């Protein structure tokens, strides 16, 4: 296997890790409107992801940086062609981080309510737009012979990509709902389990349609296996949720995300960004990659740093593993 193939796999792993981890905290952000009934319950939801949300975003920074270094042409075409949607995502992530930190800085109800509203919208919008972006990457966009995107903004909002956005939004919300059930106690835990069933059924229908469309469009035997794993894991997550096995339900919803993202990357390879105008104009792991020397240096750095980062993040989750409920929220906090 050539180094550019290795880095395609590593970037796929980074994006998979990002969607697995950031997926549930996007979902929890959406639940601040859908599940929480009062200010105390909103605080419970925010506290479930408070120690980990910023660490989850490190995976996005690493995926973007790795793409820039390993496949500069892919990075250039992607970020220029998808400039406005990615800018909206970036602004949302900035505002979202500020909202988490600033919400409790002042006691006024309007102040806190406005930041809570910001958390909801800046979780919902990126959860939808990431699906739109990756739907376009998998389906192909208008790239010319100079490897430049020549479509318009509205070309990105085609039926396939919009369906992809709905899939990521509902799947992340389901992932966040079972995470909430896993991390909370009391009435909010029971309501989260009930909501997870409803959201999960909607997500299962949308995901099945989207993945079948992807398989028919550009799939092979390997992507078909990933499709079957994704659908089976989502159904099993729903069953586990009904049985009150929150840990299994969360793990299986994570497997669904991993398998679905793996399927998209399997249908891509050896392309990294297919051209819908002419297959010969597609960006591939060969024509979009950096020099072998650059990839070699990156491989050594990643081999040393990645295990350390993963061990530290795993330790963070272990430290903050206990459930919380409304009884753990001090009166002054809300």
């Amino acid at each position: 296997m050539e180094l550019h193939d290795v880095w395609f796999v590593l970037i796929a792993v980074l994006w998979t890790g990002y969607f697995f981890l950031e997926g549930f905290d996007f979902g929890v952000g959406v639940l601040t409107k859908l599940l929480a009934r009062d200010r105390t319950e909103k605080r419970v939801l925010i506290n479930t992801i408070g120690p980990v949300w910023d660490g989850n975003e490190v995976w996005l920074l690493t995926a973007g940086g790795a793409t820039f270094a390993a496949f500069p042409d892919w990075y250039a075409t992607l970020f220029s062609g998808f400039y406005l949607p990615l800018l909206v995502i970036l602004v949302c992530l900035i505002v979202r981080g500020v909202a988490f930190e600033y919400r409790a800085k002042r006691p006024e109800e309007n102040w806190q309510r406005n930041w809570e509203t910001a958390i909801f919208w800046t979780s919902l919008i990126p959860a939808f737009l990431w699906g739109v972006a990756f739907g376009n990457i998998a389906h192909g966009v208008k790239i010319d012979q100079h490897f430049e995107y020549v479509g318009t903004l509205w070309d990105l909002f085609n039926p396939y990509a919009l369906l992809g956005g709905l899939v990521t939004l509902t799947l992340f919300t389901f992932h966040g709902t079972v995470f909430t059930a896993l991390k909370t106690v009391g009435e909010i835990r029971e309501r989260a389990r009930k909501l997870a069933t409803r959201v999960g059924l909607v997500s299962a229908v949308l995901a099945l349609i989207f993945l079948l469309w992807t398989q028919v469009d550009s799939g092979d035997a390997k992507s078909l296996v990933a499709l079957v794993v994704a659908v089976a894991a989502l159904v099993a997550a729903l069953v586990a949720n009904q049985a009150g096995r929150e840990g299994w339900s969360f793990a299986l919803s994570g497997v669904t995300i991993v398998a679905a993202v793996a399927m998209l990357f399997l249908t891509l390879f050896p392309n990294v960004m297919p051209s819908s105008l002419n297959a010969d104009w597609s960006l591939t792991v060969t024509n979009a990659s950096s020099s072998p020397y650059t990839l070699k240096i990156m491989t050594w750095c990643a081999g040393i740093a990645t295990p350390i980062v993963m061990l530290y993040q795993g330790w963070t989750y272990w430290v903050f593993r206990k459930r919380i409920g409304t009884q753990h929220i001090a009166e002054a906090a809300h």
Side-chain angles (χ1 to χ4, degrees):
M1 181 181 287
E2 299 290 337
L3 278 179
H4 50 65
D5 297 331
V6 172
W7 273 97
F8 178 85
V9 174
L10 291 177
I11 289 172
V13 170
L14 290 170
W15 280 111
T16 302
Y18 173 67
F19 288 137
F20 180 97
L21 296 172
E22 189 87 307
F24 72 74
D25 70 44
F26 279 150
V28 171
V30 173
L31 293 181
T32 58
K33 289 285 187 183
L34 299 184
L35 183 66
R37 291 180 174 174
D38 54 35
R39 309 297 301 286
T40 303
E41 290 189 351
K42 288 183 179 181
R43 189 62 188 171
V44 170
L45 291 174
I46 293 171
N47 282 3
T48 62
I49 59 174
V52 298
W53 68 266
D54 49 354
N56 295 343
E57 290 188 356
V58 171
W59 288 76
L60 171 62
L61 299 176
T62 308
T67 304
F68 172 77
F71 299 99
D73 287 343
W74 182 14
Y75 181 93
T77 303
L78 175 64
F79 280 80
S80 59
F82 294 18
Y83 180 81
L84 285 177
L86 293 178
L87 178 62
V88 171
I89 291 174
L90 176 61
V91 171
C92 284
L93 294 180
I94 293 171
V95 173
R96 188 167 178 265
V98 173
F100 282 131
E101 299 297 333
Y102 275 46
R103 177 197 170 276
K105 296 300 183 183
R106 289 171 55 178
E108 292 89 344
E109 185 174 343
N110 286 340
W111 170 271
Q112 297 189 3
R113 185 187 299 112
N114 289 337
W115 286 120
E116 289 163 359
T117 300
I119 290 172
F120 169 76
W121 285 109
T122 56
S123 299
L124 185 149
I125 293 172
F128 175 74
L129 288 180
W130 279 127
V132 172
F134 272 82
N136 278 291
I137 293 173
H139 197 57
V141 292
K142 294 179 179 179
I143 298 175
D144 65 10
Q145 65 270 31
H146 303 295
F147 303 130
E148 295 180 359
Y149 178 71
V150 292
T152 66
L153 172 64
W154 303 114
D155 289 330
L156 300 178
F157 293 95
N158 55 77
Y160 178 84
L162 291 174
L163 178 59
L166 292 176
V167 169
T168 52
L169 175 58
T170 55
L171 186 56
F172 289 170
T173 303
F174 173 69
H175 196 41
T177 308
V178 294
F179 176 79
T180 299
L182 177 65
K183 286 288 293 179
T184 57
V185 295
E187 185 184 354
I188 193 171
R189 175 188 177 190
E190 297 303 317
R191 295 205 317 273
R193 284 175 52 197
K194 293 178 181 178
L195 181 60
T197 299
R198 298 196 295 271
V199 175
L201 288 172
V202 174
S203 179
V205 173
L206 293 174
L208 180 60
I209 297 171
F210 178 76
L211 294 178
L212 285 174
W213 190 345
T214 304
Q215 179 65 26
V216 171
D217 186 52
S218 55
D220 57 15
K222 293 178 181 178
S223 62
L224 180 60
V225 172
L227 185 156
V228 173
V229 171
V231 173
L234 185 51
V235 172
L238 285 166
V239 173
N241 177 69
Q242 282 291 97
R245 303 296 298 272
E246 293 98 343
W248 279 106
S249 183
F250 176 71
L252 288 165
S253 69
V255 170
T256 302
I257 293 174
V258 170
V261 177
M263 180 184 178
L264 292 181
F265 277 94
L266 285 170
T267 59
L268 266 181
F269 188 82
N271 295 321
V272 294
M273 207 164 176
S275 172
S276 60
L277 300 178
N278 187 326
D280 294 335
W281 298 344
S282 298
L283 288 164
T284 69
V285 293
T286 303
N287 64 26
S289 69
S290 293
S291 67
Y293 181 74
T294 300
L295 296 178
K296 184 177 180 179
I297 296 298
M298 289 176 61
T299 303
W300 278 104
C301 293
I304 295 171
T306 302
I308 298 173
V309 173
M310 294 186 70
L311 284 171
Y312 173 77
Q313 192 165 18
W315 176 78
T316 303
Y317 276 92
W318 175 256
V319 169
F320 295 100
R321 67 189 180 278
K322 292 185 178 179
R323 296 177 183 266
I324 62 173
T326 53
Q327 67 271 28
H328 299 118
I329 304 299
E331 186 68 25
H334 58 85

